Amino acid sequence: MIIYIIAFIITIFLCFQMQRRCNIAAKNPRMFCQEKIQLYIMYLLAVSPLVLLAAFRDVEIGKDTVTYVSMFEEAQVVSDYSTFFKLQGEQPIYTFILYTFAHFGFNVGVFLGVLQLMALLPLLSLTLEKKGDVKLWHIITIYCCWFYNDSLNAIRQFIAIGFMITFYECLFKKKKWKTIVCFVIAFGFHSSSILLAVIFYVLYRV
């Protein structure tokens, strides 16, 4: 428990520092565009404690973790991707990433860490879209205190939800291609994303 608290405090503090830089950059649109890459790098460093916790956790932490590990081990012994896809291809992007990591010599911890990072990236994207109006450190605090432990158990769902939130934002800003990309990624991790897409589209049209 203590290591989780320490990781949360470090991440929240670094995101708070990053937010200050984001607020300064947001006052100058040209500067804000130039700063985006640096902000992403800072964010990767800020959330690295959460990613490392996800990567090095015991496989018994999170009910579905056993399933993730089992699929990863299965992918390591199936030499043909098409065969594995027929067996486990319900979520195509998730299946492709899993199979790729399994066959490039990575261990399952690296795979789980990357999944956690993918769940966290849309939070930064939302903050940058709002140009500082949405406080990143507020979002990260809520995520750490209420959702992080749940994400260890249902990471595919959290990735899908994260990208569907970005989908919603891009839909209302009429960013067609970003909207499509976000939906494809979300659907590639969890098929229930199509239900959210329908709800969001109805809200958009109302």
Side-chain angles (χ1 to χ4, degrees):
M1 176 62 73
I2 294 178
I3 193 170
Y4 280 81
I5 294 173
I6 293 173
F8 292 169
I9 290 173
I10 292 173
T11 294
I12 292 168
F13 174 75
L14 291 177
C15 284
F16 175 75
Q17 294 299 320
M18 178 184 162
Q19 184 70 57
R20 295 172 63 184
R21 183 164 182 169
C22 187
N23 291 342
I24 295 172
K27 296 176 182 178
N28 186 331
R30 182 177 296 179
M31 180 183 174
F32 189 77
C33 292
Q34 294 172 346
E35 288 273 313
K36 274 190 175 182
I37 294 177
Q38 294 182 31
L39 289 172
Y40 269 103
I41 294 173
M42 291 174 65
Y43 184 67
L44 291 176
L45 294 173
V47 300
S48 59
L50 304 184
V51 173
L52 291 173
L53 274 181
F56 291 104
R57 73 182 188 266
D58 191 279
V59 295
E60 294 183 0
I61 298 177
K63 185 173 63 178
D64 287 353
T65 305
V66 176
T67 304
Y68 301 150
V69 174
S70 177
M71 287 181 65
F72 192 88
E73 291 174 347
E74 183 181 351
Q76 287 177 318
V77 298
V78 177
S79 58
D80 182 24
Y81 175 71
S82 60
T83 301
F84 183 73
F85 185 79
K86 290 176 183 177
L87 295 172
Q88 304 285 357
E90 294 179 8
Q91 290 83 33
I93 295 179
Y94 170 75
T95 303
F96 176 76
I97 293 175
L98 184 150
Y99 189 85
T100 301
F101 272 75
H103 277 266
F104 273 86
F106 296 102
N107 64 39
V108 69
V110 175
F111 171 66
L112 294 174
V114 169
L115 291 183
Q116 183 63 228
L117 180 60
M118 291 190 69
L120 288 163
L121 282 176
L123 302 181
L124 176 62
S125 177
L126 177 64
T127 304
L128 295 181
E129 286 288 339
K130 293 293 186 179
K131 290 185 170 56
D133 292 336
V134 175
K135 305 300 182 186
L136 178 63
W137 75 277
H138 289 174
I139 298 175
I140 287 295
T141 301
I142 293 170
Y143 183 83
C144 288
C145 295
W146 279 279
F147 299 113
Y148 182 76
N149 287 344
D150 289 333
S151 76
L152 300 179
N153 183 51
I155 191 63
R156 291 186 297 110
Q157 292 90 325
F158 272 80
I159 293 172
I161 291 170
F163 278 95
M164 286 308 296
I165 292 172
T166 308
F167 165 91
Y168 179 80
E169 181 70 20
C170 292
L171 180 67
F172 275 79
K173 288 190 174 182
K174 299 184 179 353
K175 295 183 176 180
K176 180 181 177 180
W177 290 110
K178 282 189 177 181
T179 303
I180 293 172
V181 168
C182 287
F183 173 72
V184 169
I185 294 174
F187 184 78
F189 277 92
H190 209 279
S191 55
S192 62
S193 301
I194 195 167
L195 178 60
L196 273 178
V198 171
I199 294 171
F200 289 162
Y201 187 73
V202 170
L203 291 173
Y204 169 70
R205 298 296 297 180
V206 170

